[in-house]
Amino acid sequence: MRTNICHTIGWRCLTATTLLLSLGQAVVAAAVEPPRELNVPPEGFTALFNGKDFTGWRVDPKIKAAWSIEGGVLKALGPVDEWIPDLETLGTYRDFVLLVDFHLPSASNSGVYIRRLVPPHVLGGREKIDINPGRMGHPLSFHYLTPDIKLASTQFPRVKDHRSKIGVWHTMKITLVAQTLSIEVDGEVILHEFKYPERILSMKPSPIGLQKHKQEIQDGKLSDMPVEFRNIFIKEIKPVASGGSREMNVPPEGFTALFNGKNFNGWRLSPAVQDAWTIEDGILKSHKTIKDWGADLRTVKKYRDYVLLVDYRIPKISDSGIYIRGLMPGIGIFDRDRWEQFNLRSRGGTGSLESFRFQPPDRRVEPPRGKYIDPEVGVWHTVKLTLIGKTLSAEYDGETIIDQYEYADGILSMEPSVIRLQKHPPSEIGGEMSDCPIEFRNIFVKEIKPSGFPKQIKPRELNVPPRGFTALFNGKDLTGWQVTPQVKEAWTIEDGVLKAHREIKDWGADLTTERKYRDFVLLVDFKFPTISDSGIWFRGIPGIMGGMEQFNLMSVYGTGNLDSLDHLPKDVQLSFRDAAYTPFFYCQPEYYRLKDPPVRYTDPEVGVWHTVKLTLIGRTLSAEFDGHVIHDRFEYPEGTISMEPAPIRLQKHVPQTIAGKLYKECPIEFCNIFIKEIGRSESSESGELRESNVPLAKLLARIDANDLPEGYEPAKHQEYVDRRWPELSPEQSARVNQLWKEKQANDPDMPNRGCSFVKILAYVADKEGRAEQPAPAANPGPQPSALPIPHPVNQWKWSAGADAEGATRKAIPVKISDERTIYVAPITVSEDDKPPVVLVPESRLSVIGRLATECPVYFGITINHPNGDFAGRYQTVRPADEFRGGEDFEVTLELQDFQLDPSLADRKDKLPSQPFHFVVKTIWLHTLEKQAGLEIVELELIPPTADELQQE
């Protein structure tokens, strides 16, 4: 036992000895370490005080009388009986680390002033960090808040109590970055990363100030408030530019600069923009007062999903904004507000979204629970916007103010849009008028494109028509147009563009096609070089000016309007204003309160190409402007629009007063003018009714009067055709084709195409002198093509990049009943000028596409009999959880899993149970009763491989 005790003591002795030796070494080390030289800054810091004089400080007589320099120390020991100016640096600082040694010879009060406070505030409008043994390190502003600033207890700084000794030198470290403050005293953290609430601390750079306090009672005695300072060092933390780049207008990694700091490359320039904006020292500035809208700065390129970084500054109270993407039909006010806008507005408006101010009463939804900010004047702020699909996030000076807000359906468009920086006309803001100056810099974007989407799309070639269309203008001359002296004088062709820039004194210079058209799809690109008026004329309407209907192209409150609505008798106008109404465009929010709102229309942007698509079938008109539907299957009342073919006319307008101002030239430009005739077999080149081949017509009438051949059952149509077709000679096959083609031309609306075809087949086979042939040994089964079209194919592929229109195929609304609408994206597979695509067993369908909103997707095919008769629709559905909104998807489907469309259930016994061995007419995707932004990028029909067939 004694041994154990000695052993323990021995270890204790050894430990103590070791400790003493260690301490001795530390003392020795400390003894040899050289003392820090007074007022010499540590690495990375700059000395604000050189220890010798007041260089770098603002000094006036009162300051000189109060402060002195002795032995490298700033001293203010004597009494002052009134407040005097603080000792301030000449330089200003925003973000920094500040080191200050201070010494209080006796009970005293002083402080270090950092940044200014947001007015209205107290104490000279500057934040002071207390140097006071009773509240060391306290930010003084929180002791004197104005009544309008109401804070929760959790929003006040929690400063750790630190009692600094009198008569001893102490070191204070102040770290201020943006709105975050940290304080250490003698190495002890007493305030850690405190975030200032809004409207207290300014973001403007300010001088560093040292306080000399006037005489005051301290510890029951009158004190001269002595204070001394030394070793005053600062390390500036440069405000990090957008996205982390410290060099102005140089993008961070992964981003692209939209503004290069030198010129307007990448931005659309109009006279209004050039007049309103300047570039100075790498900054976009718009300080000029504008009288009306039209000076917004717009990118040339369009963007859909992206991260956008923007620095902005308002020199005084102002209103501006960032337009991020288009809005859906019926949302927004005026043409300029059909885009969503992230507001940059003084007096609490920054961070709000414009669409929520102008929602129709029947489509109101809750805005995001964001934070609205009153931006400090004269200070640079950074906005970060992340827009993916229908989800928006926003950061303001590093603070999240909108956190992954998902727009409801029907609000935000899924189409790419330009990014716009708003220049606001003079506006009253919080009771104060402002000309709304605004400045921008560091404008960077990072596009977000899901892998594989969209596929590379080739640009459309000028004046080359998409598949199925014919060019009305060849880009070189006026072939196909009626050329008069007035037309020659008014119109020119430059670089493939039709231009009419000159003033004309009288009507008569409209450009008119030589051919006439009745039912068609018309595509036209147009551009207004300045404010202007023009239009597209088509079929006749008796009783209106010009005698033809006109789709107006007018700069102010006119594009999309139909002339018939202005020039028809009032009773006729009223009879179909409701029918022409579409919720996409409207003029004033007051119109929501009108019982019969006016027709909607738009104001096309000047200097930009726009596309109009007109579809006229019978008395039904649909119209799109830049992809937005503005007339949705509007049906003209009986007796209004003529059913006779008419030319297409492009209007050249005489001088016109628009919005109170006379525009003499009314310039207009056109290109890419394409037409697709509908029901072409009904019209000849001249537009007159087609004359039938009389002998064949009489023969077909006789054939139609025949009974159906013996053994034919409509439910087994294909089996009958497959059995009889091999019996025909080549000459008879050609004869069937001839008669069937004539039959379709003369009677496109025949009630039963299958029966008509079989009667022709039986007539040729049995009654036109056919020699007897031995019957085939066995039923050959379903043939890829019952008609003699050579070389049917089983593999097929379509992609946006290879398509003549060069674009993804987007879903369009199709009304299938009064209550239901589906959104369908169809692709035609078998076309007249190409071998038919015949589906074989074990085939697969590969689809690449995209959805903006998660929802179930239906995949389907429509098949025809070889003679063109409808044979059925087959589909399958994939659930919503297999898709992600805003991202591309890729699926491969087994066609043997496709089932007959439920809407054809009543014909189940008459249609094939599976789609194989029939001609594939179309492949389609659709969503039910939800505009989910469905797009098709690529489709492929994949037949089974030889190995797969062998395995089967």
Side-chain angles (χ1 to χ4, degrees), residues 582-599:
T582 167
F584 185 61
F585 297 112
Y586 60 93
C587 300
Q588 298 287 350
E590 293 87 347
Y591 287 157
Y592 278 127
R593 298 191 287 270
L594 295 180
K595 183 178 179 182
D596 297 312
V599 176

Side-chain angles (χ1 to χ4, degrees), residues 526-530 532-534 553-555 559 604 606-608 667-668:
F526 78 96
K527 180 171 73 174
F528 287 146
T530 63
S532 190
D533 190 352
S534 183
L553 308 175
M554 187 174 181
S555 288
T559 292
V606 167
V608 175
I668 182 69

Side-chain angles (χ1 to χ4, degrees), residues 318-379:
S318 188
D319 191 350
S320 183
I322 303 169
Y323 291 93
I324 56 176
R325 205 197 282 163
L327 296 170
M328 291 294 286
I331 307 295
I333 175 172
F334 297 120
D335 175 64
R336 64 175 180 274
D337 286 323
R338 287 198 333 276
W339 285 263
E340 180 62 288
Q341 179 186 178
F342 181 88
N343 279 302
L344 308 175
R345 185 187 300 126
S346 297
R347 308 287 163 87
T350 292
S352 62
L353 300 173
E354 195 74 359
S355 65
F356 294 92
R357 298 178 59 207
F358 300 109
Q359 289 179 349
D362 60 338
R363 297 170 68 180
R364 293 198 184 282
V365 295
E366 286 296 317
R369 294 183 179 179
K371 182 178 182 181
Y372 300 153
I373 294 169
D374 184 3
E376 185 180 353
V377 168
V379 173

Side-chain angles (χ1 to χ4, degrees), residues 462-476:
L462 191 65
N463 299 310
V464 174
R467 186 166 51 203
F469 284 78
T470 300
L472 295 182
F473 169 56
N474 61 19
K476 304 172 183 176

Side-chain angles (χ1 to χ4, degrees), residues 443-463:
I443 310 169
F444 309 131
V445 71
K446 180 200 290 183
E447 289 190 80
I448 299 172
K449 292 184 178 179
S451 59
F453 181 90
K455 299 291 185 181
Q456 187 65 36
I457 296 174
K458 61 182 179 183
R460 188 176 73 177
E461 194 173 349
L462 191 65
N463 299 310

